Structures are given as C-alpha cells and as structure tokens.
Amino acid sequence: MPSVPELQMLPLLDDTPLALPRDPSLVVVSISGGKDSTAALIAALETFGPGAVVAHHQIILEDWLQTPDYCQMVCDYLGVPLYLSQGVYNGFLCLKCGHRHLSMFYEEAYCHKCGSYDKQLLGVIDSIHDLIRWREKWVDARVRACTGHFKIEVFNTWARNNVSLLGRRPVMVLGERHLESRGRMKLPDLRYRDLRKGWMLEWRPILHYRRIDAFRASRQWGIEPHPCYKLQWRGILRRQHLRWLQEGIPPRASYPGQWEGLDQVEELSIQVLDAMIDTQMYEVDCEGGPRCSCRDCFFKEEEEMRATYDTDQGKALIDDGIAIERETGFTMKYGQSLESVVGDKESNL
Ligand SMILES: [Zn+2]
C-alpha cells in the first residue's frame, strides 16, 4: 500500500524567495527595438534556448518609423517568433455625468466616475499625441501615461488574450538596467507581474549591465543596433562640431583624442562620425546618450531634441507636438515650449 504523503503547510508567499523556473511554459521577451531589450532577448535565449522563447513588441506611432521592422528583422535572425500589438482606445463622453473616459472596449466601456454605460464615442486614440490631445496635457515623468497606456496595458491585454499560448508558468523578460535611472535602481530581478495572481513571473536578466555591455551583447551576436542610435548620435556630434567651429566652444570628449584635429575639418564625414560612434557604443564605459524611444520623448535633452528635429521623421513629429502646444496652451517641458527648443534653428547652432 502506498504511503500517504505527509500534508504540508503551504508556505506564505512573502516568505518564499522567488526562483527562475527551469521549465517555464513560455518565455516572452518584451522588446522595444533598443539595445537593452535586445540584450535581454539574447540573455533569455542563452538561458532557455531558442525553442522556449518568443518576443512581443508594443507598436508606438511616435517611435522611430523603422522600429517594428527592426524588431522583426532581429527576431527573424534569431529564429524567435515575434508578436506585435498596438494600443487603440475609444474615447467616450459619459452622457450621464459628462466625464470623459477611455477604453479598449466598446459595449463594455463604462464611466469610471459614475458607472454609467450611457456614452457617446468622441474619437479613437491610437497614438501618444492623440492621448495628449485627449488629456489636453503632456505626459510627464509622474504621469507616464505613454508607458501605461501604450506599453504596460497593451502587453497585459495581449497576455490576457493569449493565456493558452503562455501556459501555466510563463516568464516575461524585461530589459531594464539599474544604471539607467533612479527609478530603476531598486527593481528586483524577479517578481510577479501585476496580472493574474501568481501567474506571470517578471525576470530582468540585465539589471547589472552597463550601457556598453548591452551594445556589446548585440555585437557578439552579429546584430547591428537600431539605426536610430547612429542617426541621433551623428546629429548630436555634428551639432557639437559646428558649435566648436562657429562659437569656439570645444565639444566634450567622451574618450581621449576624440576630437583631435577635427577643428581643422569643415564638415564631419559619415566615416569619421561612425568611427566615433562605434567607439562610444562598444568601448566607452558611460551611461546616457541617444535612446531608442519616442522621437520626441520628453526625457530628451534640448540638444538631442534638436538633433532629432534635423531628421525628416523627427521634424514631422515635433512639428505636430508644436501644434499640440498651440492648441492646448500646455508645453512639453515645464515652462519651456518645444518650439523654443527646436525653433529658430540658426541661433541654436
Ligand atoms: Zn459618468
């Protein structure tokens, strides 16, 4: 007769240290197209092998236009299935109390203030600029409505709709790093995602990476970083060079000898710029620099915003941002309009 197994008390969740499962039902890496999430994808592949890993990208219309194609290219190259989804919200006016509310749904959507289902559709919001127009306010660091509505909620909705694909013990992989920002310094490497309780484990495998480690991970696997890095870095370096020639302000060197003799050169060639950028990406251990995010991300410094404005797709988006500032009377940064940052281009150089 088989022995009856001894009954054990279930451990309290808080007391159980989380561990990365050896055989998760599926590993899904959230990729943005940037170097960090690419490094996280690589780390997931190195840990679990190609068969267990898929990727998910949340399409954002303010991203660099090549981003979805870039994600597809990287995933094809690595043999990883890629899922894409985009946040699309219905904007409603509550016919009972006049409150305006957003929902991914239609019939099920109700007013968050009074609970009424009685509503009128005012419009469809599928971009961050749409959302800013809807809110009549810019998003900011405290109200990260951009990330909330167009990344977190989009991923969560995709996950809820794909429970059978994800299975019982899925792991979500994120490419955040401690050195990126104060807010990320305390992120744990493992925690449960705020979804169904105890279901999806979040794993951040590259928390301890430096910027250089993330770029090197791509290089090691033969992956060229997203073109937005070079595009932005070229613009920033060109501007620093021009300022040097025209105003006599020498550019800050990221490594010894970076600018040696270049005050004698009228215009920096692509070859000279790209050699500098390669050194910065793969050899110089420092944080900051261009990011793969919205073209007009409010985290960008003035000089980065101007360099973005020098590109066609950057100008198109920032011009729309300037239009929003005029429509709403709100400025993107506190007390500083986008127009004043990128406008009057001659005097900025
Ligand atoms: Zn209402």
Side-chain angles (χ1 to χ4, degrees):
M1 211 175 130
S3 65
V4 180
E6 209 177 308
L7 280 176
Q8 281 185 345
M9 292 279 289
L10 280 171
L12 290 174
L13 271 178
D14 293 344
D15 295 344
T16 318
L18 293 172
L20 193 63
R22 277 189 199 173
D23 55 343
S25 48
L26 193 70
V27 177
V28 50
V29 186
S30 177
I31 59 168
S32 67
K35 64 185 189 312
D36 294 335
S37 56
T38 302
L41 175 58
I42 288 167
L45 285 171
E46 286 172 341
T47 306
F48 292 104
V53 178
V54 304
H56 184 270
H57 173 65
Q58 301 98 50
I59 296 172
I60 292 189
L61 299 182
E62 283 77 7
D63 273 343
W64 293 90
L65 299 176
Q66 304 93 326
T67 298
D69 285 346
Y70 178 81
C71 291
Q72 190 66 62
M73 201 183 71
V74 169
C75 287
D76 288 348
Y77 173 73
L78 295 172
V80 170
L82 171 67
Y83 297 85
L84 298 132
S85 41
Q86 188 191 337
V88 179
Y89 294 88
N90 299 309
F92 295 108
L93 174 71
C94 171
L95 293 177
K96 198 175 170 201
C97 79
H99 180 63
R100 300 190 313 151
H101 55 98
L102 286 178
S103 178
M104 283 193 181
F105 307 102
Y106 197 96
E107 271 78 20
E108 301 93 321
Y110 61 90
C111 173
H112 308 296
K113 251 192 181 148
C114 75
S116 170
Y117 286 84
D118 212 8
K119 61 197 180 267
Q120 182 194 338
L121 180 70
L122 295 180
V124 172
I125 287 121
D126 66 358
S127 70
I128 292 167
H129 278 201
D130 277 358
L131 182 70
I132 293 166
R133 283 191 160 93
W134 171 262
R135 286 163 43 90
E136 297 179 339
K137 267 186 223 174
W138 284 98
V139 292
D140 62 31
R142 283 164 303 144
V143 186
R144 297 277 306 264
C146 41
T147 317
H149 283 85
F150 289 98
K151 281 183 185 277
I152 298 170
E153 198 45 41
V154 172
F155 180 87
N156 287 352
T157 302
W158 175 81
R160 284 188 205 104
N161 292 337
N162 287 278
V163 170
S164 58
L165 169 76
L166 290 161
R168 284 183 54 231
R169 281 152 51 92
V171 171
M172 178 191 189
V173 180
L174 293 128
E176 287 155 320
R177 297 184 296 114
H178 282 153
L179 288 171
E180 273 180 291
S181 72
R182 267 194 174 179
R184 293 184 175 180
M185 235 143 64
K186 284 186 182 156
L187 280 171
D189 61 341
L190 290 170
R191 76 177 178 202
Y192 277 106
R193 189 162 180 84
D194 197 6
L195 259 168
R196 221 168 64 191
K197 199 169 188 284
W199 178 47
M200 183 180 283
L201 197 58
E202 287 181 351
W203 178 41
R204 292 172 170 78
I206 66 152
L207 278 176
H208 57 286
Y209 277 30
R210 304 163 298 169
R211 182 182 85 184
I212 194 177
D213 299 320
F215 276 125
R216 282 177 176 177
S218 279
R219 183 175 66 175
Q220 204 175 348
W221 279 62
I223 297 167
E224 184 72 24
H226 191 301
C228 76
Y229 290 110
K230 275 202 169 149
L231 202 62
Q232 294 178 94
W233 239 319
R234 281 177 194 158
I236 292 164
L237 293 169
R238 273 207 175 110
R239 283 184 157 273
Q240 290 176 357
H241 183 247
L242 261 178
R243 179 165 289 165
W244 193 16
L245 299 192
Q246 293 178 358
E247 297 173 36
I249 303 168
R252 198 172 56 84
S254 302
Y255 55 91
Q258 182 182 357
W259 296 97
E260 217 169 276
L262 292 177
D263 57 336
Q264 304 301 317
V265 179
E266 216 164 284
E267 198 176 319
L268 298 181
S269 67
I270 294 281
Q271 287 82 355
V272 167
L273 287 166
D274 286 1
M276 260 192 219
I277 295 167
D278 278 346
T279 306
Q280 291 195 321
M281 276 185 185
Y282 303 118
E283 310 302 333
V284 179
D285 178 15
C286 89
E287 293 300 316
R291 289 156 36 104
C292 184
S293 59
C294 288
R295 281 164 278 161
D296 62 343
C297 177
F298 64 88
F299 278 127
K300 281 192 175 178
E301 287 165 17
E302 287 181 38
E303 198 68 357
E304 293 176 311
M305 200 67 89
R306 287 184 202 122
T308 300
Y309 198 69
D310 289 341
T311 67
D312 289 341
Q313 53 173 304
K315 182 175 187 306
L317 188 68
I318 293 171
D319 280 344
D320 188 53
I322 292 171
I324 297 178
E325 288 187 332
R326 288 192 185 137
E327 288 161 33
T328 62
F330 281 94
T331 56
M332 181 181 190
K333 300 197 177 231
Y334 294 108
Q336 187 182 30
S337 67
L338 261 177
E339 193 169 15
S340 73
V341 171
V342 299
D344 198 16
K345 279 175 74 179
E346 299 307 311
S347 68
N348 281 331
L349 285 178

